[in-house]
Structure formats: structure tokens, C-alpha cells
Amino acid sequence: MRITDAKVIVTSPGRNFVTLKITTSDGVTGIGDATLNGRELAVASYLRDHVCPLLIGRDPARIEDTWQYLYRGAYWRRGPVTMTAIAAVDTALWDIKGKVAGLPVYQLLGGRSREGVTVYGHANGETVPEVLDEVAKYVDLGYRAVRVQCGVPGLDATYGVSQDKMFYEPADAKLPSEATWSTERYLRVVPELFAAVRDRFGFDLHVLHDIHHRLTPIEAGGLGSRLEEYAPFWLEDPVPAELQEGFRLIRQHTTAPIAVGEVFNSIWDCERLIREQLIDYIRATVVHAGGITHLRRIFDLAALHHVRTGSHGATDLSPVCMSAALHLDIAVPNFGIQEYMRHTEATDEVFPHGYRFADGYLHPSEEPGLGVDIDEKLAARYPYEAAYLPVNRLMDGSVHSW
């Protein structure tokens, strides 16, 4: 059996997705997510122009060899575009291998380590009372964990706070929109938010919060210290991760669990953070960290150092990526939690899938392979639409982390 075709499909059923579809000489197909939010066409071109021609004639069963061929053979290694492209190929090959074996992918990864995958939803609002009402909705749906974000008083917009609460999409304009940020006001409102959530819902509900890289290490350590009495499940992305020594400073000032990694592309981006136990959850994803093959390596390293998984699962990760993540989540021993932002009805129609939500857990499909497909005719009805994530500026006008 050989690869006979590799096709890149770009579609926008409410937001942009890039999908790679590989076909073999036996007619078996596999798909992989290749979406890089705000830079989708860069990956589409990388695949079409530089990767797809290399796949024709290769043995689809040689997943590890193909991964190494694409990673080592390009000379220019790593980076979000390259690793997202490799991830798409890798995921599609795992899909094919599962179909040929007649088994869901998680069985090929060693089988179940748990019965279901604990997920968290996003509860957000302009005010603290609005957030509480959104938390209540998720609790009623059966969620065991909820991320809470609220507007910052005095600011016109806050990243993470949306109008459409269930189907939040932050990429909102053909050119990046700009918003103003105040760290001082943010640090005042977050403890109020956590206090209100615990007062209404108690301590059985897991409560998470995303800082979006906006603080300095000492600011993050101080915030974590103030929130410890409210037992946060984690504080996500407290600081930009380029200077990783900053996480050591955070550790010196708080015991609040730290999560990071949704923008990481390889094991080398997080090796130090994991090995020195400077984080508690690694949030790297199948689509942006080199596929199932490479993300499993990251998770295995994390398992040796008491770090659990907490993969990113925003709406810019298609149902293909979500399905792949669930197969890995259900199998690895150090699973922590999975982000689950629901896709729109249009997206679910373009990407029919077998995974399901019940009682706070997501369950992977039991179909051979990943258990997800793409309706190409329907996808063609939704052409690409340029969309970018917003940019934040401080009160004095200087560009800040978003």
C-alpha cells in the first residue's frame, strides 16, 4: 500500500480550518488538522508546495519514519508553520493505520487508561454576576470544570470575554482589532471573581483561569498567592514563555498550579519547564506540536516529572484535532484535563465525528481510526475568510501581550 494523493482543503464554516486528506492505493483515506489561527494559508501553502509532493509513493504505515523525514529532512526545523504541517501528515497517517487495523487510534496507543476524558468549558461575562450565571449553565450541562473570565472594569474589551458564550471565536476581523489593557485593574478584579465563584458554587467544581501571558513573573506570583485560598485548578499562561526562568520566580511565590504550552511547537519548547517541574500542566496540542507522534513524546516526558496534560482545545482546533486529542487523552497515564470549546453546528456538519459529551466527560469514537471525516462538498460552500486575533495595547499605547 502506498500514498497516491495528498490534498489540502481550506474551509470556513464560521471560522477558517485547514485539513490534509491523504489517500492510499487501497482507497483508504486519513485526515489531519493543519489549522494555525490567523496564519492558515501559510500552512496550506507549506503543505501543498513543499510536503504533499514528498508523500506520494511513501508507505503510509511508516509513521515514525515519515515524521523524522519531514522534521529532519527540511533542515529548517520547528516553528509553528512547519510543526503544524507535520502534525497534519502524522495525524492523517494514524487515522489510516487505525482504519487498516480496524481499531480506534487509542487502542493502538495502548488502550484506555480511563473511562472518559474530563473537560472544561468557558464561562465568561462582562461582570462578575454575568460570569456566575454562565458557570451555572455549564454546571447544569454536567461539566465538572469551568474556566472563568470576566471583563476588566474601565476597559472597552477584554480578551476571553465574548458575545456568543457557547461558541466563542476570538479571531474577529480582516485586520487585527486593537484593545486597551490595564494590569492594575485586572489584578483587582480577578480575586473578586474567584471569591464570588467559590461562594456560589463551593469547592467541588474545578475552577480555571487564563491570564493570557499578560503579567510579569512577580505579578503572576502575587496573583497566585492571593488566589490560593480559592483553590484554582490552574492559572494558565501567566507570563510569556520565552524567558522560562520567570516560571521559577513564580514558583517561589505561589503554590497555585501553573499551566502553559498552547503555543509550543516541540518538546524543546517545554523540556526545561517540565524537567525542572516549573509547571503543573502542559497544554501543547496535536495540531501545533507535531501530531500524535510528537505530542506523545512530550506527554511521556511530562509523566516522568509529575506534570499532567491539559491540551488546548479552542474553536480554531477543528473536530479532527479534537478527535485526535481524545484518543491520546484516554490512553496516557498522566492525563489532567482537556479544554473543550464547542464548535458551531456548521463546523460539526463539515466535520462529522463520533466523539460525544456525557456527564462532564468527552468520549472518543469507537470507529476505526480517528472517527472523524470531512464533507468536501459541504466544505466547498465555505470559502476562506481572512480573520486575525486582536492586538492589545497598554494605557500608554505600547503593544502588550494579548
Side-chain angles (χ1 to χ4, degrees):
M1 184 167 64
R2 297 289 168 176
I3 296 173
T4 57
D5 187 51
K7 178 192 301 184
V8 178
I9 304 165
V10 180
T11 183
S12 186
R15 67 108 45 241
N16 294 315
F17 296 107
V18 179
T19 307
L20 176 68
K21 184 173 184 178
I22 294 177
T23 304
T24 72
S25 54
D26 288 1
V28 182
T29 62
I31 57 175
D33 188 7
T35 308
L36 184 61
N37 200 355
R39 299 293 186 271
E40 297 91 351
L41 297 185
V43 184
S45 174
Y46 191 103
L47 284 167
R48 286 195 189 104
D49 299 334
H50 304 291
V51 174
C52 289
L54 307 180
L55 300 177
I56 306 304
R58 294 186 65 86
D59 182 353
R62 297 181 62 172
I63 298 177
E64 180 66 36
D65 182 67
T66 299
W67 196 97
Q68 297 294 340
Y69 175 77
L70 294 175
Y71 180 80
R72 298 187 181 193
Y75 188 78
W76 307 106
R77 300 182 183 180
R78 301 163 59 187
V81 174
T82 294
M83 296 304 285
T84 300
I86 293 176
V89 176
D90 183 80
T91 305
L93 294 183
W94 276 103
D95 192 20
I96 290 171
K97 186 173 285 287
K99 291 175 180 176
V100 171
L103 293 170
V105 166
Y106 77 81
Q107 294 287 13
L108 305 179
L109 299 173
R112 288 177 178 267
S113 289
R114 57 197 47 81
E115 294 305 314
V117 174
T118 303
V119 297
Y120 69 90
H122 287 205
N124 66 85
E126 290 294 339
T127 66
V128 171
E130 287 181 14
V131 178
L132 298 181
D133 290 342
E134 293 301 315
V135 173
K137 293 177 183 178
Y138 279 101
V139 171
D140 290 342
L141 288 171
Y143 281 74
R144 303 164 186 265
V146 181
R147 193 187 87 168
V148 295
Q149 310 287 143
C150 74
V152 177
L155 302 186
D156 293 334
T158 304
Y159 187 85
V161 177
S162 64
Q163 296 299 316
D164 191 335
K165 304 303 183 186
M166 191 60 72
F167 305 107
Y168 173 47
E169 173 49 58
D172 60 359
K174 292 185 177 181
L175 292 175
S177 59
E178 297 190 9
T180 303
W181 176 254
S182 169
T183 299
E184 295 78 9
R185 297 178 186 181
Y186 166 78
L187 290 174
R188 287 196 295 267
V189 74
V190 174
E192 297 175 9
L193 173 62
F194 266 81
V197 171
R198 287 307 185 200
D199 181 63
R200 179 166 170 180
F201 298 98
F203 282 79
D204 290 335
L205 179 69
H206 294 313
V207 180
L208 304 80
H209 179 70
D210 191 349
I211 299 174
H212 292 119
H213 318 273
R214 288 174 173 161
L215 301 180
T216 65
I218 200 66
E219 290 168 343
L223 177 61
S225 179
R226 293 178 65 189
L227 296 179
E228 285 175 11
E229 64 179 298
Y230 306 116
F233 185 89
W234 77 32
L235 299 180
E236 179 183 342
D237 293 340
V239 297
E242 288 89 345
L243 181 63
Q244 298 192 349
E245 291 179 2
F247 287 83
R248 186 178 297 111
L249 185 58
I250 297 172
R251 277 287 201 233
Q252 293 170 357
H253 290 85
T254 182
T255 60
I258 301 299
V260 73
E262 70 183 61
V263 299
F264 290 171
N265 309 129
S266 78
I267 198 168
W268 306 111
D269 295 323
C270 53
E271 177 268 340
R272 181 181 186 181
L273 292 174
I274 291 172
R275 180 170 46 80
E276 297 186 18
Q277 300 179 56
L278 300 178
I279 59 173
D280 302 279
Y281 296 89
I282 180 64
R283 295 205 3 94
T285 69
V286 169
V287 65
H288 296 146
I292 293 173
T293 295
H294 194 64
L295 189 57
R296 180 63 185 265
R297 288 197 177 93
I298 294 174
F299 287 175
D300 285 345
L301 176 66
L304 297 178
H305 295 87
H306 309 291
V307 175
R308 289 182 284 179
T309 74
S311 287
H312 186 50
T315 51
D316 58 296
L317 281 60
S318 84
V320 180
C321 181
M322 178 58 71
S323 182
L326 293 175
H327 285 278
L328 198 50
D329 292 338
I330 206 80
V332 296
N334 57 323
F335 170 76
I337 201 166
Q338 172 67 55
E339 182 178 17
Y340 176 44
M341 292 181 69
R342 294 167 182 255
H343 291 105
T344 63
E345 183 177 336
T347 297
D348 287 338
E349 289 174 349
V350 170
F351 297 96
H353 53 266
Y355 62 79
R356 59 187 178 84
F357 175 82
D359 300 322
Y361 299 107
L362 274 178
H363 301 270
S365 170
E366 294 296 330
E367 301 171 15
L370 294 176
V372 62
D373 204 348
I374 183 169
D375 185 330
E376 294 187 59
K377 290 184 178 180
L378 186 56
R381 299 181 188 176
Y382 300 102
Y384 170 81
E385 298 182 14
Y388 290 88
L389 293 168
V391 173
N392 273 275
R393 294 183 180 273
L394 296 176
M395 303 294 285
D396 65 3
S398 57
V399 176
H400 190 52
S401 294
W402 58 269

